[in-house]
Amino acid sequence: MQRARQRRRAIPPKQPALTKDRCGPSNQSASIDELIAAHRPGFSLAQPFYSDALIFERDMQRVFQQHWLFVGHVSRLRRQGDFFLFTIGAESIIVVRGKEEQLHALFNVCRHRGSRICLQPQGNRRTLVCPYHAWTYALNGKLLSAPAMPAGFDASEFSLRPCHVRVVEGLIFICMAKKPPEFDSAFRDWEQFLKPHGLARAKIAKSLTWEVNANWKLVVENFGECYHCGPAHPEYCSVMAHALPDTHRARRPVESFAKLTARWEEKARQLGNLAGRVPQDPDAVHVCVRIPIREGFLTQSVDGKPVAPLMGSFREYDGGYTGGRIYPVNYFVASCDHAVIPRFTPLGPQRTEVEMIWLVHKDAVENRDYDLQKLTWLWKVTTDQDKKIVDDNQAGVNSLAYRQGPYSMTEQGLTRFTAWYLQQIQQRK
Ligand code: FES
Ligand SMILES: [Fe+2]
């Protein structure tokens, strides 16, 4: 009997569940904090972080409503009055070009009784008119008219609630927080690495969307490591020289990639181009890198040959790949002739929208200067594969058999990401 009890104790506890029953409003915060405290650094997260509705709600409040999010490219808003909606969780944001080229991001919530104002995903408006009782707002959110309001009504108190907006080399970021986090050094580095690519004057050649049946953190973790590149992405490995050494860490491929990088960096610097990585601090919320694609490859294409006209300040193909990340979900990848900007938007605890946006030179003409199939080949095939493996990852994580698993040497970025994430959602004292 005694032994049986001891044996029972030795069995690891079942996955902690975080349901409404276990944690009603009063103890919900405490339960999430217990889970955070139980996290083993260097391991994936416990199951509820990838599946639970209450933690998803916390993610929305502490991560997505507090941080800078990439929402789209400036070429979607060429003329005054052009707008598009950015929808995330319960929030809908009108991103609109107002007077004097100014961009605004406004909560799509009428200040009368709260109706949505813009119902179409994009379009052009001279003013923003609520379809319910016709309160009318200027493109900067100021209330212009509100019929039949009583004497003393002060329209200036009822502007649409704004978000912070920042444009980084043509990429529009918004932040819903009252006081956005100070990410100036991250944006400065992004500007430096993006500038040569000329994205501010680019156009969207194509955008594709995938609905991934997984929590947003599984999508981000997958995008943040190349441990899976060997098994999952034969095409990516055939293009990117870093992929196999990053998968296996075998001595010879690692050494040969280091030699290729040293040769390429010398050439890139002779051309006056950037190379290497900033910042050096691995715990920073952002990173920018420039590395070689592969010996003899000029761009990220099936045979390494150009797929579009050179962009920005590049006068020749240097065979480099530029990439960047800013927590929580902002990324870019760019070659000398095109760029791909992913947008990861949580839709629910186990659903995430992945959008890939391909940018080319603004004057490039389809079928004359670029072929969409060739341009989109690498990141389309890679994202198709990523959707499949991340869907399968979520299915396994949902099992009663799932436990936190250890990250490999090539997944150390995930150790840092999960630590940052847990810090964000922790109950503030
Ligand atoms: S809710 Fe918008 S005008 Fe009434
Ligand atoms: Fe992948």
Side-chain angles (χ1 to χ4, degrees), residues 315-382:
R315 294 291 162 260
E316 61 179 278
Y317 290 81
D318 73 354
Y321 156 98
T322 316
R325 183 208 68 216
I326 300 178
Y327 286 161
V329 288
N330 307 300
Y331 301 89
F332 72 85
V333 300
S335 303
C336 293
D337 59 3
H338 71 286
V340 186
I341 318 293
R343 194 178 77 170
F344 300 146
T345 311
L347 300 175
Q350 299 188 31
R351 278 192 322 132
T352 305
E353 181 195 89
V354 171
E355 185 183 19
M356 290 283 174
I357 302 163
W358 282 265
L359 297 173
V360 294
H361 192 287
K362 72 173 174 31
D363 298 328
V365 176
E366 189 184 341
N367 296 330
R368 184 190 76 185
D369 300 317
Y370 63 92
D371 173 292
L372 270 186
Q373 200 275 328
K374 286 185 183 160
L375 177 78
T376 59
W377 168 77
L378 179 64
W379 283 100
K380 182 175 179 312
V381 72
T382 302

Side-chain angles (χ1 to χ4, degrees), residues 110 112-115 130 132-135:
C110 182
H112 175 223
R113 279 171 46 210
S115 171
C130 178
Y132 200 176
H133 312 94
W135 279 31

Side-chain angles (χ1 to χ4, degrees), residues 11-29:
I11 296 170
K14 207 171 158 288
Q15 285 288 315
L18 194 68
T19 62
K20 291 260 183 207
D21 289 348
R22 182 175 173 237
C23 56
S26 58
N27 60 2
Q28 154 193 348
S29 291

Side-chain angles (χ1 to χ4, degrees), residues 15-72:
Q15 285 288 315
L18 194 68
T19 62
K20 291 260 183 207
D21 289 348
R22 182 175 173 237
C23 56
S26 58
N27 60 2
Q28 154 193 348
S29 291
S31 300
I32 297 176
D33 283 348
E34 275 169 29
L35 279 175
I36 295 171
H39 177 69
R40 295 176 71 182
F43 280 65
S44 61
L45 294 163
Q47 187 186 60
F49 290 107
Y50 297 119
S51 57
D52 189 88
L54 294 173
I55 292 190
F56 182 76
E57 224 171 87
R58 175 83 69 103
D59 288 0
M60 287 292 120
Q61 291 162 358
R62 299 286 171 79
V63 180
F64 291 92
Q65 293 171 17
Q66 296 302 319
H67 284 279
W68 289 99
L69 305 173
F70 164 72
V71 294

Side-chain angles (χ1 to χ4, degrees), residues 174-187:
I174 65 147
C175 179
M176 290 183 248
K178 282 202 179 103
K179 192 175 175 316
E182 197 282 288
F183 273 16
D184 282 353
S185 69
F187 286 129

